Amino acid sequence: MVLALVALFTHSGLWASVLGTSVTAAVAGLNFGRRDARALRDLPDIASARKAAIVDTGRAMWRAMVKGCGAAGAAVLVANMSSHGFVADWLLPLVPAVVGALAHQAGMIAERMSEDAAARKQAVEATPLRARAAEPTSNAA
């Protein structure tokens, strides 16, 4: 979608491919980052649950292969759009891979933050109402 819109407005296949693959890499990176964070949280002890650990490892390897092939495919697509010099041939093909890697980290952080927020909410709900009322508030008005 982004590729088509950028190509329509700029009439440049190079920028359309860079931006289109970068958006795709960002969405995939966020998704894979969230999944990797959940998989790390649920990873069992390898010694006690070998079968589950093997399945989880296989899924992680599949996600890693898809991320690597996606980044390589995006780089090949951008590099083959046209020859414009050093920036277009050597730097722009790296943009989607970098965007995807940063999005992967952002997805892992977002998942961890949402888990921490859920844990804090459960902790607050688990404390009795009387104990919460006795706690001093930090609202200095």
Side-chain angles (χ1 to χ4, degrees), residues 66-129:
V66 169
K67 287 187 295 188
C69 289
V76 168
L77 176 71
V78 172
N80 286 319
M81 287 312 291
S82 63
S83 177
H84 286 96
F86 179 77
V87 172
D89 291 340
W90 292 97
L91 297 181
L92 290 180
L94 301 176
V95 171
V98 171
V99 169
L102 292 174
H104 180 267
Q105 292 300 314
M108 289 185 77
I109 291 169
E111 184 67 22
R112 180 66 189 264
M113 289 175 67
S114 68
E115 290 171 2
D116 288 348
R120 278 195 303 270
K121 183 178 179 183
Q122 282 183 338
V124 167
E125 290 173 354
T127 58
L129 186 59

Side-chain angles (χ1 to χ4, degrees), residues 1-82:
M1 178 79 158
V2 172
L3 188 136
L5 287 174
V6 173
L8 180 69
F9 288 117
T10 64
H11 303 290
S12 170
L14 177 65
W15 288 108
S17 65
V18 169
L19 293 174
T21 55
S22 294
V23 169
T24 303
V27 171
L30 282 170
N31 184 25
F32 286 144
R34 293 181 69 102
R35 287 177 185 236
D36 284 346
R38 279 187 230 127
L40 283 172
R41 177 193 65 211
D42 299 335
L43 189 65
D45 183 25
I46 293 176
S48 64
R50 286 189 179 148
K51 187 175 183 181
I54 290 170
V55 170
D56 288 335
T57 302
R59 288 182 184 146
M61 288 174 55
W62 170 251
R63 286 192 299 270
M65 187 181 76
V66 169
K67 287 187 295 188
C69 289
V76 168
L77 176 71
V78 172
N80 286 319
M81 287 312 291
S82 63

